[in-house]
Amino acid sequence: MPAIIFDCDGVLADTERDGHLPAFNQTFEEFSVPVQWSDSDYALRVKTGGGKERMRSILTPEVATALGLPQGDPVALDEAVARWHRRKTAIYTERVASGALPARPGIRRLVAQAEAAGWTLAVASTSAEESVRAVLTHAVGPELAAQFQVFAGDIVDRKKPAPDIYLHALRELGIGPADAVVVEDSANGLRSALAAGLRTVITVSGYTADEDFTGASLVVSSLGDPGGPTTVTLVDTLGLEPEFFVDLPDFVAILTTPAPDLTAPDLTAPDLENR
């Protein structure tokens, strides 16, 4: 059966501004790290893939000295970051459980349609697995969440826009790229999916609305919900013309279109920062 593979942050819920950012800042405060990220700071930090990688980026010689960390010992620095990240994940998971991060419009509706039709459901994210599972369960409910395969955390070496996380998901699901559609929210996520040969729907999120989504099958404001925000179509290269909502038949139509051109220039070039 065909599959839908969802990214987590910005797709299942708009998690960055109201979830990850305050969790990072609370962690820095608890560990006496002399850093607090503003909203504009974090808009740049989200382009770095992985929470530990974002935290590692603040360990300048000045910050390491202030914390009494040995600058010439990368193992000690990595251990400090790992401690911070464990605490940050716990804070973030608590925020998810509190209901502070509502599901994005249309997620539960589309997942219910796909599950009823027998589609394979998966999440592919390089965020911590505990965080991803918490967001997934809150977004779609425990019964639907149990139908998902989750590929998350440090299971691949290279983060998005490298295709590794999606190639890993395809291998584990036992399917080829012709049988899956990805739902992403960022340009780096799109490049990751395209480089794996996957057709991609973009639902823009708080930090990504102005990014370049060339190559996406469809770009929308959200999947839309009856009685809630409806879909605003931003790019419709296939002529799908979703009027109010993006539904499962739109994904069926996307699967009939040509796959991404894998002979195009390298989509994971160094000038594209990881998310």
Side-chain angles (χ1 to χ4, degrees), residues 163-182:
D164 301 33
I165 186 65
Y166 285 116
L167 293 173
H168 176 84
L170 291 174
R171 285 193 299 270
E172 292 297 311
L173 294 172
I175 60 175
D179 298 316
V181 179
V182 165

Side-chain angles (χ1 to χ4, degrees), residues 4 13 17 29 47 59 74 77 101 107 114 132 140 148 157 182 184 191 194 204 206 211 260:
I4 303 178
R17 179 172 283 116
E29 183 176 0
K47 297 182 184 297
L59 273 177
L77 296 177
L101 307 174
I107 288 295
V132 172
V140 304
F148 277 75
D157 292 331
V182 165
E184 268 284 359
R191 285 167 173 77
L194 292 178
V204 297
E211 294 183 355

Side-chain angles (χ1 to χ4, degrees), residues 1-258:
M1 292 298 293
I4 303 178
I5 306 175
F6 296 86
D7 177 39
C8 177
D9 295 315
V11 171
L12 300 180
D14 206 345
T15 56
E16 298 290 5
R17 179 172 283 116
D18 297 322
H20 289 294
L21 175 56
F24 279 118
N25 281 338
Q26 182 177 334
T27 301
F28 293 149
E29 183 176 0
E30 290 184 7
F31 282 88
S32 300
V33 179
V35 172
Q36 287 287 289
W37 286 332
S38 67
D39 190 72
S40 58
D41 292 333
Y42 195 65
L44 299 176
R45 297 291 176 176
V46 295
K47 297 182 184 297
T48 297
K52 288 192 290 292
E53 289 80 0
R54 293 176 196 174
M55 286 178 150
R56 191 67 167 79
S57 72
I58 62 101
L59 273 177
T60 63
E62 293 77 16
V63 170
T65 298
L67 295 172
L69 296 172
Q71 298 179 36
D73 187 347
V75 173
L77 296 177
D78 288 343
E79 288 174 349
V81 169
R83 289 193 299 273
W84 300 348
H85 191 257
R86 283 193 293 272
R87 177 58 182 147
K88 179 263 172 183
T89 298
I91 295 168
Y92 173 79
T93 302
E94 291 166 6
R95 290 186 64 81
V96 174
S98 75
L101 307 174
R104 293 205 62 198
I107 288 295
R108 186 188 294 258
R109 175 181 55 78
L110 178 66
V111 166
Q113 290 176 350
E115 194 274 336
W119 284 47
T120 296
L121 298 166
V123 175
S125 169
T126 49
S127 292
E129 183 174 349
E130 181 182 358
S131 298
V132 172
R133 289 190 181 277
V135 172
L136 174 62
T137 300
H138 186 71
V140 304
E143 291 186 4
L144 285 174
Q147 307 306 311
F148 277 75
Q149 294 191 54
V150 175
F151 309 105
D154 297 324
I155 56 174
V156 295
D157 292 331
R158 297 189 304 165
K159 305 296 175 68
K160 300 173 184 179
D164 301 33
I165 186 65
Y166 285 116
L167 293 173
H168 176 84
L170 291 174
R171 285 193 299 270
E172 292 297 311
L173 294 172
I175 60 175
D179 298 316
V181 179
V182 165
V183 183
E184 268 284 359
D185 75 304
S186 71
N188 281 335
L190 170 64
R191 285 167 173 77
S192 175
L194 292 178
L198 290 158
R199 301 161 180 85
T200 307
V201 172
I202 295 293
T203 60
V204 297
S205 61
Y207 289 113
T208 69
D210 296 327
E211 294 183 355
D212 179 4
F213 295 118
T214 301
S217 299
L218 179 68
V219 182
V220 293
S221 58
S222 74
L223 299 175
D225 259 333
T230 56
T231 294
V232 176
T233 302
L234 305 175
V235 179
D236 185 12
T237 57
L238 304 179
L240 298 173
E241 299 182 353
E243 187 173 3
F244 300 111
F245 320 113
V246 179
D247 283 311
L248 192 62
D250 297 310
F251 282 72
V252 174
I254 288 169
L255 281 177
T256 68
T257 64

